[in-house]
Amino acid sequence: MNLEQQKQALWDGVYSPRFPDMRPHAVKNIIGPYIEPIKPHVTAVGTSGGKTILTAARFEFLYKYGYIKQNEKVLILAADKTILRRNFESQFDKFFKVHKASFSYRTVSSKEELKQAILDDIQVIITIPQTIQDNKSLSMMSALNFKWLVQDEAHKWYFKKTVQNIIKKLKSSKKSFAKIDSFWNTKEEITNDKQSIKISRRWKM
């Protein structure tokens, strides 16, 4: 699909049946270069701007139209508070309440739940870094084919040893970072790791 076809498919196949009043940034942050980003990129949206819904829409679009294969996985790391993990779950449930997702998803709050999610072949796992940071959990997950990793509150978490170890162990090919609690206007796609580090460090409050 070309860019206009992608845009139309996103509106018709993802947003219109569920959230027909989404803002323009909810389209441009998903299509075009963000379908297959070469390097990590940032979704920079202000407080209450709909980042979690945008994340749900992103993976509905990517799974529905085959940009992510059915055997490929997504790991979503909410920030360090369980309430933020529950927020991802509730927003995903809200987005997919009537029109079901093209992928399976589940929140994981313990090693036992992680093991069951893996056994059930869940495609999108939502958790927090502390839940999966131990070697046993990472060993279980390292056998999976993770295509995307999403890190919430990246300005706080990306450089933490815990997250860096998760990234190293899972080796997901695509990374998406979400910034919470302030606006950041970035008009250029992040094109290399050094630039992504520079921008992330400038985010410190």
Side-chain angles (χ1 to χ4, degrees):
M1 289 189 285
N2 62 34
L3 192 62
E4 284 304 312
Q5 289 171 330
Q6 292 169 9
K7 182 177 180 180
Q8 197 64 47
L10 181 59
W11 276 118
D12 293 345
V14 178
Y15 280 129
S16 292
R18 301 176 177 92
F19 252 70
D21 59 344
M22 286 302 290
R23 304 166 190 172
H25 72 255
V27 173
K28 67 182 182 181
N29 271 291
I30 295 176
I31 60 175
Y34 303 106
I35 290 176
E36 291 283 346
I38 298 172
K39 294 291 183 178
H41 76 276
V42 177
T43 299
V45 182
T47 304
S48 301
K51 289 174 290 292
T52 307
I53 291 295
L54 190 153
T55 301
R58 178 193 305 282
F59 294 115
E60 174 64 11
F61 176 79
L62 295 178
Y63 273 110
K64 183 181 180 70
Y65 294 103
Y67 293 106
I68 299 180
K69 297 179 176 62
Q70 291 299 305
N71 68 333
E72 293 175 328
K73 311 293 184 183
V74 173
L75 176 63
I76 297 176
L77 294 175
D80 56 331
K81 297 178 181 178
T82 55
I83 189 172
L84 297 177
R85 184 191 63 220
R86 290 195 296 269
N87 177 63
F88 264 97
E89 180 182 30
S90 64
Q91 291 295 304
F92 269 52
D93 288 346
K94 178 181 178 181
F95 192 74
F96 296 117
K97 183 177 181 180
V98 177
H99 298 274
K100 302 302 181 185
S102 298
F103 57 89
S104 57
Y105 66 91
R106 185 178 298 172
T107 55
V108 165
S109 59
S110 68
K111 296 177 183 62
E112 293 73 21
E113 290 181 0
L114 174 63
K115 183 178 180 180
Q116 191 59 53
I118 292 172
L119 289 173
D120 293 342
D121 200 27
I122 299 299
Q123 292 163 302
V124 176
I125 294 175
I126 304 169
T127 188
I128 58 176
Q130 298 95 311
T131 301
I132 62 168
Q133 66 179 334
D134 63 285
N135 289 331
K136 184 176 180 180
S137 296
L138 289 175
S139 178
M140 286 192 294
M141 297 178 72
S142 65
L144 304 178
N145 183 14
F146 280 98
K147 179 70 176 284
W148 276 81
L149 181 145
V150 177
Q151 176 61 62
D152 190 18
E153 295 273 13
H155 63 300
K156 296 179 181 178
W157 272 97
Y158 179 73
F159 296 101
K160 298 291 187 182
K161 184 178 179 180
T162 299
V163 171
Q164 286 297 309
N165 190 46
I166 292 170
I167 291 172
K168 180 180 178 181
K169 295 287 186 181
L170 301 187
K171 299 177 182 178
S172 58
S173 60
K174 313 297 177 189
K175 300 178 183 68
S176 176
F177 304 126
K179 171 70 179 79
I180 310 298
D181 294 334
S182 68
F183 285 93
W184 186 273
N185 182 22
T186 100
K187 295 184 178 179
E188 295 182 2
E189 180 186 4
I190 293 174
T191 56
N192 60 63
D193 287 329
K194 289 183 179 178
Q195 189 177 354
S196 68
I197 290 172
K198 179 181 178 183
I199 290 177
S200 294
R201 283 177 176 161
R202 288 175 64 190
W203 276 346
K204 291 183 178 179
M205 308 301 275

